[in-house]
Amino acid sequence: MPHHDHDSSLRHRLGRTIRTPIGVTALTACLLVALVAVLGPVLLGDRAAQVDTDAINQGSSAAHLLGTDQLGRDIAARVVVATRLTLRLTLMAAVIGVGGGLLLGVAPAVVGRRLGRLITATVGVLVAFPGLLFLLFLATIFGVGSTGAVFAVGLAMVPPMARLVQNLTASIAGSDYVAAARILGVGRFRMVVRHLLPNIAEPSVLFATQATGGILVAFSGLSFLGLGVQPPQYDWGRLLNEQLNRIFVNPAAALAPGAAVVLTGLMFGLVGEVLAQAGGRRAPQAPETTPQEELGTPPEPAVEHDGGALVRARDLRVTFPGGRQAVRGISLDIGAGEAVGLVGESGSGKSLSALALADLVPHPGRVSAAALGFDGHDLRADPRLGTELAMVFQDPMASLNPALRVGRQLAEVAEVHLGASRAEATARAVDRLDAVRIATPGRRARQRPHEYSGGMRQRAVIAMGLMGKPKLIIADEPTTALDVAVQREVLDLLAEVREESGAALLLISHDLAVVAQVCERVLVMYAGLVVENLPVTELLGGAAHPYTRALVGAVPTMTTDRGTELATIPGRPPEPGETGAGCPFAARCERVRERCHEDTPELTALGPGRQVACWYPVGTAAGRPVAATAHTAKATS
Amino acid sequence: MATITMNSLGARARNPWVGFVLRRLWRLLVSLAALVTAAFAMIHLIPGDPVRAALGTTADPAMVAARRESLGLDQSLLKQYADFVGNLLQGRLGESIGAQMPVSEIISGRLPATLQIAVPAFVLILLIAVPVGMTAAVLTKDGRRRRGELSFTGVTGFLGAVPEFLLAVGLIAAFAVAWPLFPVASRGGVDSYVLPVLALTVVPAASLSRIVRVETLRVLGEDYMRTARAKRLPARLRYLRHALPNLLTSSLTLGGLLFSSLLAGTVLVENVFAWPGLGTTIVQAITEKDYPLVQGVVLVYGAAALLITFVVDVAVAVADPQSTVRGS
Amino acid sequence: MSSLELRGITVRYGRFTAVDNVDLLVPEGTVTGLVGGSGSGKSTLGKAVVGLAPKQSGQVLIDGSEAPRLRGRSPVQLVFQNPYASLDPRMTVGASVAEALSGGSGSVNGNGSGSGTGSGARSGRRAPARERRPARDAEVARYLELVGMDPARAALTPDALSGGQRQRVALARALAARPAVLIADEITSALDVSVQGAVLNLLRRLQRELGFAMLFISHNLAVVRYLCDQVAVLDGGHLVECGPTDRVLDHPEHPTTRNLISCVPDLALAEEAS
């Protein structure tokens, strides 16, 4: 789904994100902390340093909001004044950590292969140690004190940052566009500046911001342990260290610097969140108005029986938030044992239509229909299909659970739906694997999916559908991810299974040839509508809709004339929501007339078993609308 | 590409497990060697004379010389390293400067106290984070219950941002000072364990439950979960049998570092509660410049962290053989 | 006008041999189709020719001699399968094409070369080399027009383009490098049929006009038949059959070829069946 808006620059997205509540909070917090850091020591510096031997170790009072310390100094003022030092040390350490991490992270891409490998391995070893241990180790070497602590905290940040940058860089370096640049002879340095850095910038900045929050906490921890800032200097951690012993007497004094650390740490987290949102992956979308129509249409009182159709859908729609309709009211019937193909280009709504029949439309899509029946019962009232429906999906690598044995995944169908015992279910699973011609099914059932080849997995998925007695098999692009030879095997298997079980088949594919091989009837979808319904025998030469004809013409076959250019369809299909009045194909149609832009043609009968949604279908008396000529056409032919 | 690497690995070792375990063991050994070398190098990286720094500028020169000799600092670097490694293999870690006791003795005296709070915390983190994260994911999947999602991420995000030692201070203020339910500090009866363990548990549990939630959402979006829905399996089976094993492995991989940092988190928490464990020992040793003791504790912490990482790696591999075959 | 000759190309990953001692000649000005099942090594062979896969042994000869890489640039250019991955998402289309222009690596500022660098494009942050820029922009525009794209789109980033348009840009980038030979690696398999036709027509027209030799890697025999003068069949890293398209497809000699042909689903099958 490419975004077609042109306002997706980072600056624009940042501006938009800052105006959200979280953005406003982050910005306010940043300004506030900066203000306190700048003005705190100027305004309260004297008060914080003032020793008052008359008021030692006092509790909270009007004069001293958080009480006083061992020398009678005002703790509240000291917490405020400590902001500057704390932030300064934190930022210094962050510069060391982020800078070092970036250098070590990008280095493997710039230096030679051997040195690069050494750097990667070193970072890998360092990352295995917890940050705090590294920190204590460095603190021992640099000695107790703030300078040592800055280096210790900063350097401890280097390995995780370097690891992150290395991972990001490695994934970018493995991308096709970097390969393309390499073939073009783009130099190493230029590759880093132009291809690597711009593409790792956003996640790196995000991580660096969050790491800065971590550095603040680590530094406070070090000072708290007495290994960081030493008196007479003080940061929040040091103040906490001094006040912890008196937590019995004056808990507020110990909690205040702690709260300052937590809140400032949260601020860094918030800034990171804002940057992440602006970075696009979680960009705030324009508020979507969800229409509240939903399944509002009351079910038709009685499902009229229609020549014993197994599946009967009327005015089926799939709607997404914002009112975008991906399927815009299609009607279809599938007879018992019939093989129907559903073809169309990507985005035509073919897969969603099939998923709607199986009640598997992904959130937030919503299904509505005037009638939706399966084998005589109303799916709108009870969407449960039990084992009468089998599904086969496009990607056999992904559609089996990698953590479970294949036999188990098959057997559970029988256990859950057929009440079989575990042993019976397992036996049936092995039997079914055998039925889809998987050799040594007993051994294979005990294996996990990664030990199967692609074609074998797709067979296992088909076998899963055969655990019950399916009346309908829905196969959504079942061979797109497979090799031609394997595709042939899977298609043959589907045909064989259909013959044996008598199940109907709904085969969704973008490949007309695949559909032609297996199906008896073809439904052609365009822009969320069925535009033609025809027997597969008519597909090659007898299609009535200009779109179907164009689609057929665009596919090169083993008999295509090599002397001529391939037929193409100019323009692109409308996106959901772009469709207005008139035929959705009008903008790309060769036979377009005035009427096509004004009225949307309905799917109307065109001879026995054929329907078309076109005002001027191919093969009828040209120039006259179908509805007016339907009778005469029949009479004359 | 993936298939090619798989094939090449398969060709190298009939059983991918052998190759995998060898690789991991090799990595563990290299890391351990790095740790030992770093611990040895530490004392030499300290600017100036470590003995002088430890004993103070006014110390008797004869005593300094004697101490140098007992630490072996008067010998060649290579000899020192060989001795260090040799002693280490026999379980000797040198003599503490401050306590005048063998370091190994101090460590074996203190280690149990640390483990007594670290192990329960580890178990608690798992027992809390996995169910909480999964439940949150199931309740808020597909953008449902926006407000619930916000409060979950808000609360866990806040808890995750609170450093352990500050949480420990807060817990003391609340449950030992304001409502004196538990003792403030030091090790005693069972009730003295509650606050330290809690202080160690809450933060990693919050972070891990966030990870578990995100991983659950990812797993719920996978194709095989759609297959499970297509099979009309009841929700209980879908979540427990199909989602749980997959999200556990990926959560453990991501949460592995969390566990090794838990060990380090004990350092701060022990110091807040004046807990007589390794954490208080190392901080004291650093402040007192008792370098042999620091060396010893760093070795113990480091080795423990490496072992945890190793165990998590192997556990993940057992649960998800696919990742093993993929290599790395 | 150059020919491409491969001599004894072998590619190994560990102990797995992906491509085994392949000899192949693509005569100048002609198209050779490289077909085979998945895992047959056809993509690896293409990558090895441009240096993206480690060549264990063998030679890549352009016009009979070992071709030197000119300032690191391969004389053979490759168009990738997935147009969604082969263009840098952070670079404008114009900048991507400009990077391929000869001397492109020497110019200072490559970012955002489009004429209408308005809203979205990040461009002109540094002062451009003023004299060179208009000339380069004109070249970029020429190559975009060559592949049938509106030159005004040079200022867009790839996310504003459809798959077919991206593949055109990738083609323009490869051609802008003035390659002696072009390799097209499954360039239409990620596209819809209607778009596939347009890209294939374009590729055929450009190949005939510019007369470059091309290695066309595809799993689709119908497409290969339409586009290629010669067909080479790979199986398990071995070259099992090679010859003129008509001869190989009409009278296949090797069982692998026969099997591949028999597996092609055909629209016409439906009519035969009925």
Side-chain angles (χ1 to χ4, degrees):
Chain A
M1 317 285 129
H3 278 279
H4 286 277
D5 53 336
H6 298 269
D7 56 0
S8 54
S9 71
L10 182 62
R11 198 188 306 163
H12 189 98
R13 276 178 287 157
L14 196 59
R16 200 168 41 185
T17 317
I18 279 188
R19 266 173 262 131
T20 61
I22 192 175
V24 172
T25 318
L27 197 66
T28 318
C30 278
L31 288 176
L32 205 69
V33 169
L35 211 66
V36 171
V38 172
L39 294 182
V42 180
L43 296 179
L44 293 171
D46 296 339
R47 192 175 154 83
Q50 193 180 28
V51 175
D52 184 356
T53 42
D54 293 338
I56 291 174
N57 288 345
Q58 283 188 345
S60 169
S61 68
H64 303 287
L65 197 59
L66 297 175
T68 56
D69 67 3
Q70 296 91 321
L71 294 174
R73 294 172 297 199
D74 184 73
I75 291 172
R78 286 170 72 79
V79 171
V80 172
V81 172
T83 311
R84 185 189 283 185
L85 184 68
T86 310
L87 280 186
R88 203 181 73 213
L89 296 175
T90 299
L91 292 179
M92 277 161 60
V95 168
I96 294 176
V98 170
L102 215 53
L103 276 180
L104 275 188
V106 176
V110 186
V111 299
R113 182 171 294 182
R114 198 161 292 180
L115 188 58
R117 236 179 242 171
L118 183 72
I119 293 175
T120 314
T122 312
V123 170
V125 168
L126 289 180
V127 165
F129 297 102
L132 195 83
L133 183 67
F134 203 50
L135 194 60
L136 290 177
F137 176 79
L138 290 170
T140 315
I141 293 173
F142 289 120
V144 170
S146 37
T147 320
V150 165
F151 278 102
V153 175
L155 288 178
M157 196 59 242
V158 169
M161 179 83 193
R163 170 51 80 81
L164 177 92
V165 174
Q166 274 175 5
N167 287 348
L168 290 171
T169 312
S171 78
I172 303 285
S175 69
D176 280 356
Y177 58 84
V178 167
R182 209 175 295 154
I183 307 173
L184 289 172
V186 172
R188 258 186 212 157
F189 180 71
R190 210 176 141 75
M191 189 81 85
V192 169
V193 173
R194 291 201 47 189
H195 291 286
L196 292 182
L197 286 183
N199 281 298
I200 66 167
E202 279 172 15
S204 302
V205 167
L206 168 63
F207 182 78
T209 322
Q210 285 167 345
T212 309
I215 284 179
L216 172 76
V217 168
F219 213 110
S220 306
L222 216 54
S223 286
F224 166 71
L225 291 177
L227 305 176
V229 172
Q230 299 297 313
Q233 281 189 310
Y234 54 96
D235 66 348
W236 288 331
R238 183 77 220 170
L239 287 178
L240 194 64
N241 170 298
E242 288 166 4
Q243 298 308 315
L244 185 64
N245 300 334
R246 293 173 53 237
I247 193 163
F248 257 127
V249 196
N250 186 6
L255 291 179
V261 171
V262 171
L263 290 177
T264 316
L266 279 178
M267 178 196 81
F268 283 113
L270 269 186
V271 172
E273 194 70 20
V274 169
L275 289 175
Q277 289 200 349
R281 267 163 302 164
R282 278 175 280 167
Q285 289 156 353
E288 285 166 340
T289 47
T290 318
Q292 285 299 319
E293 23 138 25
E294 224 191 307
L295 296 147
T297 42
E300 269 177 23
V303 179
E304 33 171 313
H305 279 276
D306 193 27
L310 179 73
V311 177
R312 183 172 178 278
R314 291 289 172 272
D315 198 26
L316 181 68
R317 291 168 191 273
V318 178
T319 313
F320 284 89
R324 289 178 304 112
Q325 283 200 347
V327 178
R328 300 191 292 143
I330 65 164
S331 298
L332 62 91
D333 293 304
I334 301 172
E338 192 184 15
V340 177
L342 193 56
V343 301
E345 291 176 85
S346 51
S348 62
K350 55 186 191 305
S351 281
L352 278 172
S353 304
L355 290 176
L357 292 179
D359 187 35
L360 289 173
V361 169
H363 187 88
R366 268 194 306 229
V367 180
S368 66
L372 193 57
F374 178 77
D375 198 23
H377 89 235
D378 191 344
L379 281 180
R380 288 168 305 169
D382 172 25
R384 301 285 97 181
L385 289 161
T387 53
E388 298 184 339
L389 175 91
M391 291 283 306
V392 183
F393 298 105
Q394 170 169 355
D395 187 357
M397 303 287 173
S399 51
L400 287 172
N401 194 327
L404 301 178
R405 296 176 201 290
V406 175
R408 189 91 210 81
Q409 296 187 53
L410 264 69
E412 66 183 356
V413 179
E415 282 175 43
V416 169
H417 296 293
L418 308 174
S421 73
R422 194 157 179 156
E424 287 165 6
T426 310
R428 181 157 177 83
V430 173
D431 175 63
R432 295 291 86 188
L433 285 176
D434 189 40
V436 296
R437 291 201 303 274
I438 285 180
T440 58
R443 186 174 64 89
R444 286 290 182 181
R446 285 191 300 275
Q447 289 182 336
R448 294 198 227 194
H450 75 268
E451 293 167 88
Y452 279 43
S453 70
M456 224 189 286
R457 287 182 213 195
Q458 201 62 304
R459 287 175 200 208
V461 173
I462 295 173
M464 199 184 281
L466 296 177
M467 288 299 287
K469 289 205 168 52
K471 289 186 172 154
L472 174 66
I473 301 170
I474 297 180
D476 185 1
E477 303 269 8
T479 61
T480 306
L482 304 174
D483 212 41
V484 269
V486 184
Q487 161 169 302
R488 183 61 178 261
E489 287 170 21
V490 170
L491 291 179
D492 287 349
L493 178 64
L494 274 176
E496 192 181 300
V497 159
R498 200 168 68 83
E499 206 164 288
E500 280 171 17
S501 65
L505 172 70
L506 180 62
L507 178 70
I508 295 97
S509 180
H510 70 282
D511 191 339
L512 292 170
V514 165
V515 168
Q517 202 171 358
V518 182
C519 297
E520 296 154 356
R521 191 156 59 88
V522 182
L523 297 169
V524 182
M525 280 194 77
Y526 185 78
L529 294 172
V530 172
V531 296
E532 185 160 13
N533 170 8
L534 73 171
V536 75
T537 44
E538 294 292 326
L539 195 56
L540 196 55
H545 199 287
Y547 175 66
T548 313
R549 294 191 85 93
L551 209 53
V552 171
V555 185
T557 66
M558 296 304 274
T559 50
T560 303
D561 178 8
R562 279 183 275 177
T564 59
E565 295 227 310
L566 290 171
T568 60
I569 313 175
R572 61 176 179 84
E575 303 271 322
E578 280 181 0
T579 43
C583 173
F585 189 60
R588 306 170 74 185
C589 186
E590 289 174 348
R591 301 165 62 88
V592 64
R593 311 260 182 103
E594 210 171 310
R595 184 176 185 187
C596 303
H597 292 296
E598 288 156 8
D599 301 325
T600 310
E602 295 282 325
L603 195 63
T604 40
L606 182 83
R610 299 193 55 177
Q611 288 171 300
V612 70
C614 180
W615 294 125
Y616 307 102
V618 184
T620 57
R624 274 181 294 167
V626 181
T629 58
H631 294 288
T632 42
K634 221 175 203 175
T636 49
S637 61
Chain B
M1 275 309 104
T3 52
I4 289 167
T5 14
M6 257 164 67
N7 287 343
S8 67
L9 284 173
R12 193 176 304 149
R14 265 292 122 78
N15 185 350
W17 283 99
V18 176
F20 168 78
V21 170
L22 283 180
R23 275 200 305 276
R24 286 302 140 110
L25 272 177
W26 171 245
R27 187 188 287 182
L28 179 67
L29 277 180
V30 168
S31 304
L32 277 176
L35 175 70
V36 168
T37 312
F40 167 76
M42 185 173 74
I43 214 163
H44 299 275
L45 287 171
I46 295 161
D49 183 350
V51 176
R52 187 60 76 185
L55 297 177
T57 39
T58 54
D60 179 8
M63 195 172 144
V64 171
R67 179 50 51 82
R68 286 184 67 86
E69 202 190 325
S70 78
L71 282 175
L73 288 176
D74 50 349
Q75 306 196 312
S76 79
L77 213 56
L78 210 63
K79 171 92 171 56
Q80 285 184 47
Y81 187 55
D83 286 349
F84 181 74
V85 176
N87 283 333
L88 198 61
L89 290 177
Q90 294 166 36
R92 288 204 301 263
L93 289 164
E95 184 128 322
S96 156
I97 298 179
Q100 306 284 347
M101 267 167 79
V103 169
S104 49
E105 216 165 285
I106 300 181
I107 289 177
S108 55
R110 296 288 193 112
L111 185 61
T114 298
L115 291 180
Q116 276 163 6
I117 54 170
V119 172
F122 180 87
V123 175
L124 262 182
I125 290 170
L126 278 184
L127 287 183
I128 295 171
V130 174
V132 167
M134 255 188 98
T135 313
V138 170
L139 291 180
T140 62
K141 68 172 179 196
D142 298 340
R144 271 177 230 155
R145 296 192 181 81
R146 267 289 149 74
R147 226 161 278 160
E149 185 190 339
L150 271 181
S151 47
F152 175 81
T153 48
V155 169
T156 51
F158 176 77
L159 286 178
V162 178
E164 280 116 340
F165 67 101
L166 289 181
L167 183 79
V169 172
L171 285 175
I172 293 180
F175 300 109
V177 179
W179 299 284
L181 299 173
F182 303 103
V184 175
S186 81
R187 187 160 66 141
V190 178
D191 57 347
S192 70
Y193 284 74
V194 174
L195 291 184
V197 170
L198 218 54
L200 276 177
T201 307
V202 173
V203 178
S207 309
L208 188 62
S209 66
R210 275 169 81 100
I211 294 176
V212 169
R213 175 174 168 271
V214 171
E215 282 304 308
T216 310
L217 289 178
R218 182 186 63 73
V219 167
L220 291 183
E222 295 281 351
D223 280 3
Y224 53 79
M225 290 308 291
R226 189 179 55 180
T227 310
R229 273 180 68 204
K231 283 194 274 184
R232 315 287 157 190
L233 295 183
R236 177 181 53 86
L237 277 188
R238 271 190 283 138
Y239 295 134
L240 294 185
R241 186 186 290 168
H242 283 263
L244 187 61
N246 287 295
L247 71 93
L248 262 192
T249 52
S250 50
S251 301
L252 272 185
T253 320
L254 292 171
L257 279 178
L258 219 63
F259 294 130
S260 61
S261 68
L262 168 79
L263 205 65
T266 56
V267 173
L268 284 154
V269 170
E270 282 180 16
N271 275 280
V272 175
F273 289 99
W275 197 259
L278 281 183
T280 40
T281 313
I282 189 172
V283 171
Q284 218 176 345
I286 293 175
T287 346
E288 289 168 3
K289 301 193 164 63
D290 188 346
Y291 298 118
L293 188 54
V294 177
Q295 255 177 354
V297 182
V298 162
L299 277 174
V300 171
Y301 272 129
L306 291 177
L307 277 176
I308 291 176
T309 317
F310 178 76
V311 169
V312 168
D313 272 0
V314 173
V316 166
V318 171
D320 180 11
Q322 214 169 355
S323 70
T324 324
V325 180
R326 256 187 251 125
S328 83
Chain C
M1 310 303 107
S2 307
S3 65
L4 169 72
E5 190 179 354
L6 310 180
R7 275 197 202 154
I9 303 276
T10 299
V11 180
R12 286 206 184 97
Y13 293 103
R15 281 189 199 168
F16 174 69
T17 307
V19 175
D20 195 359
N21 198 20
V22 168
D23 298 303
L24 182 65
L25 174 71
V26 183
E28 63 174 71
T30 66
V31 184
T32 295
L34 191 58
V35 300
S38 60
S40 63
K42 54 187 195 302
S43 271
T44 310
L45 181 60
K47 290 207 168 82
V49 172
V50 294
L52 289 177
K55 229 177 20 238
Q56 190 81 17
S57 60
Q59 289 174 297
V60 175
L61 305 178
I62 306 290
D63 283 334
S65 60
E66 191 105 32
R69 282 176 87 101
L70 205 68
R71 257 185 280 132
R73 172 168 299 181
S74 166
V76 183
Q77 289 296 314
L78 186 140
V79 183
F80 291 84
Q81 169 173 11
N82 185 354
Y84 290 90
S86 65
L87 295 174
D88 188 334
R90 296 297 155 120
M91 255 189 190
T92 64
V93 164
S96 282
V97 177
E99 193 167 66
L101 290 172
S102 51
S105 50
S107 71
V108 187
N109 179 2
N111 268 353
S113 65
S115 41
T117 48
S119 49
R122 63 204 84 216
S123 68
R125 254 176 286 153
R126 278 178 292 168
R130 296 230 175 256
E131 325 80 62
R132 240 180 293 160
R133 228 187 124 143
R136 211 197 48 213
D137 284 356
E139 274 293 284
V140 168
R142 196 171 74 77
Y143 279 107
L144 286 180
E145 268 173 354
L146 193 64
V147 296
M149 275 191 69
D150 181 0
R153 299 199 157 200
L156 299 179
T157 46
D159 60 350
L161 301 178
S162 69
Q165 287 169 329
R166 286 177 197 222
Q167 204 55 296
R168 285 168 194 263
V169 174
L171 195 55
R173 176 178 59 187
L175 293 177
R178 299 176 167 279
V181 180
L182 192 71
I183 299 180
D185 185 3
E186 298 270 14
I187 60 167
T188 60
S189 66
L191 305 177
D192 264 317
V193 269
S194 64
V195 185
Q196 162 177 294
V199 171
L200 290 178
N201 283 341
L202 172 71
L203 193 62
R204 196 164 83 143
R205 185 169 53 75
L206 287 174
Q207 193 272 328
R208 289 187 177 167
E209 278 172 17
L210 305 175
F212 51 82
M214 178 158 74
L215 189 61
F216 185 84
I217 302 170
S218 179
H219 69 279
N220 189 330
L221 280 182
V223 169
V224 166
R225 175 189 165 276
Y226 178 72
L227 211 62
C228 302
D229 306 295
Q230 181 183 254
V231 177
V233 184
L234 274 185
D235 183 32
H238 298 272
L239 187 71
V240 295
E241 183 160 10
C242 182
T245 304
D246 288 329
R247 205 277 295 149
V248 173
L249 296 185
D250 294 342
H251 308 285
E253 286 167 1
H254 197 275
T256 304
T257 319
R258 260 178 248 142
N259 186 35
L260 278 176
I261 293 171
S262 74
C263 286
V264 176
D266 203 331
L267 269 174
L269 272 175
E271 273 188 327
E272 287 165 24
S274 65

